[in-house]
Amino acid sequence: MRSLPPGKVVNVVLNRFRKKIVEYGDRFLLRLERKEISNDRLIRVMRKKETTLGSIQGLLHYFRKREKPRFFIDWKRKEEILSILRTDYPELVGNVIAEADRIRDGIFNVLGSGDKKLEPVDWHLDFKSGYRWNPKTYYRDIKYPIKGWNGADIKIPWEISRFNYLISLGEAYWLTGEEKYSRRFISLISDWIDKNPVKQGLNWNSTIEAGIRVANWIVGWYFFKDSEAITPEFMAKFLNSLLIHGRFIKSNLEYTEGLTSNHYISNLVGLFYLGLFLPEFREGKEWLSFSKRELEKEMEKQVYSDGVDFEASTCYHRFVLELFFYPALLARINRIDFSPDYLLRLKKMFDFVLYALKPNGKMPQVGDNDSGRLHKFETEAKEILDMKYLFSLGAMFF
């Protein structure tokens, strides 16, 4: 703190004081088990956009029928896309459905664990060591590593709660139209919301997890939005949790003066997705403008002018590239402009991958081997250093 200017020192002290006050309030409200956002509140806000909306049934209808914002899934070209896949890529189609069936049956491969039957999913358990965190613990009180449990790994339940696997369910639903995939999507998200009240348990302990989770929830929704299995009650529950996530992320940003990392970028990505998905809400508009502005700043701070991530790890480079890329893609789809400097440095991040990959498509191991991903659209099992898919993303965008 001594190296900071006096004004920033004061700000740091005041922020710590404010966080303490908020924490005391949190602990009190959690004891009351107060619901943060009512269905009536959701409907009142939405009426500003849709005056005929008077119930949660209308809420679901509105979100199904609105044409903007657009995400990665182009429903207008669905039959054309499916025809191409079925005709030219039958093996890929088979892989997609097989992977989705595994998720539907509760079979997960978590951070190289091999196939594990996790049914029902215990969102607070490290199934490798058998250690389970108390789901009622205040999120700031979560401890790890655990004394006496040297093998306990909090990343196991965190990874499951990132919901990357929803994309496999969504792709299979598109290909087959079978509601069993939609029902699994609904049951997983509903169960997570029920078992993870805000600011309780390990899945609220790190804001990076909340950011990645909501990004995957929203992408998943676009696959299933017209499913007959989606009920008005689920839609209200889903929106309620998205808003709670946004408020949580904004008030728990992993930001410190002088140093930010992929954690803070993940926070911003979560807010970007939420802000884009929820423009009807004043908070949503604020989240979108804030996250876009901050992403542009972080691109300049965290990526060198030659396009290499400052954390000096090839795997972190991949993770950070995904974090910067997908918001840029969504922005382009929705006619939002990132700065030319942001896009130039993003291209250089792809250039680094082009020059660094070995002929077999694998990235040389430099620095920490982090397996973090934002989305997983590819289906076949890949080694963590296999990064050929990035070529497709870069070529498509540039």
Side-chain angles (χ1 to χ4, degrees):
M1 191 176 292
R2 291 177 183 174
S3 62
L4 294 175
K8 289 194 174 182
V9 171
V10 172
N11 286 335
V12 170
V13 173
L14 288 176
N15 284 335
R16 288 179 180 175
F17 178 72
R18 279 194 290 266
K19 286 181 180 179
K20 279 294 180 184
I21 296 298
V22 170
E23 181 178 325
Y24 291 136
D26 283 344
R27 293 178 185 274
F28 174 74
L29 291 174
L30 288 176
R31 286 198 295 270
L32 297 179
E33 297 184 349
R34 180 175 65 87
K35 186 176 181 180
E36 294 208 1
I37 306 166
S38 68
N39 290 346
D40 288 341
R41 167 65 177 159
L42 287 174
I43 293 169
R44 283 199 304 273
V45 171
M46 294 303 300
R47 275 182 179 156
K48 296 176 183 178
K49 288 286 182 181
E50 179 56 60
T51 56
T52 61
L53 193 153
S55 65
I56 56 174
Q57 286 78 12
L59 198 71
L60 175 58
H61 178 78
Y62 173 82
F63 273 90
R64 276 178 169 160
K65 298 304 179 183
R66 68 176 187 173
E67 294 187 358
K68 295 180 180 180
R70 295 172 57 202
F71 267 69
F72 308 122
I73 317 304
D74 189 350
W75 275 85
K76 293 181 179 179
R77 298 183 60 201
K78 178 180 178 181
E79 294 308 318
E80 174 190 353
I81 294 168
L82 293 184
S83 176
I84 293 171
L85 289 173
R86 290 167 178 153
T87 302
D88 297 340
Y89 304 97
E91 184 178 353
L92 174 64
V93 169
N95 290 340
V96 167
I97 295 172
E99 179 62 22
D101 284 338
R102 291 156 61 83
I103 301 301
R104 185 180 62 86
D105 294 337
I107 299 173
F108 296 83
N109 185 342
V110 185
L111 301 177
S113 66
D115 290 347
K116 296 292 180 182
K117 180 82 169 179
L118 306 177
E119 188 63 30
V121 177
D122 188 332
W123 306 102
H124 307 275
L125 174 71
D126 166 18
F127 60 81
K128 283 187 174 181
S129 68
Y131 185 83
R132 187 174 191 269
W133 281 263
N134 186 340
K136 294 186 177 181
T137 301
Y138 182 63
Y139 74 114
R140 293 189 185 277
D141 295 340
I142 293 293
K143 306 295 184 185
Y144 60 93
I146 305 299
K147 292 182 179 180
W149 290 77
N150 293 333
D153 187 358
I154 199 169
K155 287 189 174 183
I156 296 294
W158 275 354
E159 183 71 17
I160 298 172
S161 288
R162 288 185 174 189
F163 283 86
N164 300 104
Y165 43 82
L166 292 184
I167 290 173
S168 293
L169 292 174
E171 290 170 339
Y173 178 69
W174 252 45
L175 287 163
T176 66
E178 294 186 23
E179 294 295 338
K180 61 184 179 181
Y181 302 114
S182 183
R183 289 192 293 270
R184 183 61 167 165
F185 166 80
I186 294 166
S187 66
L188 285 166
I189 292 181
S190 294
D191 189 60
W192 191 95
I193 293 172
D194 291 341
K195 303 291 177 54
N196 292 272
V198 63
K199 297 184 179 180
Q200 294 184 61
L202 65 93
N203 287 310
W204 295 100
N205 174 260
S206 182
T207 315
I208 182 178
E209 305 305 320
I212 294 174
R213 179 163 55 247
V214 291
N216 282 299
W217 281 9
I218 292 170
V219 173
W221 154 255
Y222 276 90
F223 281 109
F224 295 107
K225 69 183 183 71
D226 285 339
S227 165
E228 63 185 30
I230 300 286
T231 65
E233 291 74 20
F234 171 76
M235 191 65 204
K237 186 177 190 176
F238 182 61
L239 289 173
N240 192 302
S241 190
L242 289 179
L243 286 165
I244 288 172
H245 271 80
R247 293 174 180 179
F248 174 83
I249 294 169
K250 187 63 170 65
S251 60
N252 290 271
L253 294 169
E254 293 171 292
Y255 177 89
T256 55
E257 290 287 348
L259 178 65
T260 47
S261 69
N262 62 84
H263 279 240
Y264 184 53
I265 305 174
S266 300
N267 305 165
L268 298 174
V269 170
L271 289 177
F272 189 92
Y273 276 60
L274 287 164
L276 189 62
F277 185 67
L278 298 170
E280 295 84 1
F281 293 83
R282 177 181 55 80
E283 291 165 297
K285 293 177 181 177
E286 293 173 354
W287 295 335
L288 183 60
S289 61
F290 169 79
S291 59
K292 177 181 175 295
R293 182 173 64 251
E294 289 296 302
L295 282 168
E296 290 178 337
K297 291 180 182 177
E298 292 306 308
M299 175 65 88
E300 185 175 354
K301 285 173 59 178
Q302 296 197 36
V303 179
Y304 294 121
S305 59
D306 60 1
V308 179
D309 176 54
F310 88 103
E311 293 186 75
S313 160
T314 47
C315 286
Y316 274 117
H317 180 92
R318 181 262 305 280
F319 182 41
V320 171
L321 173 52
E322 287 191 7
L323 292 172
F324 280 129
F325 168 73
Y326 284 111
L329 178 57
L330 286 175
R332 178 170 290 181
I333 291 171
N334 289 280
R335 298 185 178 181
I336 299 170
D337 294 325
F338 272 93
S339 70
D341 289 342
Y342 182 97
L343 297 178
L344 176 60
R345 206 159 292 204
L346 179 65
K347 183 179 184 302
K348 289 184 176 181
M349 293 187 77
F350 279 109
D351 288 342
F352 170 76
V353 175
L354 175 64
Y355 292 119
L357 285 195
K358 295 185 284 188
N360 63 3
K362 294 180 182 179
M363 181 68 76
Q365 176 65 58
V366 178
D368 295 342
N369 189 337
D370 184 83
S371 56
R373 300 284 304 280
L374 178 57
H375 301 309
K376 296 180 181 179
F377 287 102
E378 70 279 6
T379 55
E380 67 270 25
K382 289 181 177 291
E383 296 183 32
I384 194 61
L385 294 176
D386 188 340
M387 302 186 191
K388 293 190 297 293
Y389 71 95
L390 292 172
F391 290 156
S392 299
L393 299 181
M396 169 184 66
F397 190 78
F398 290 105

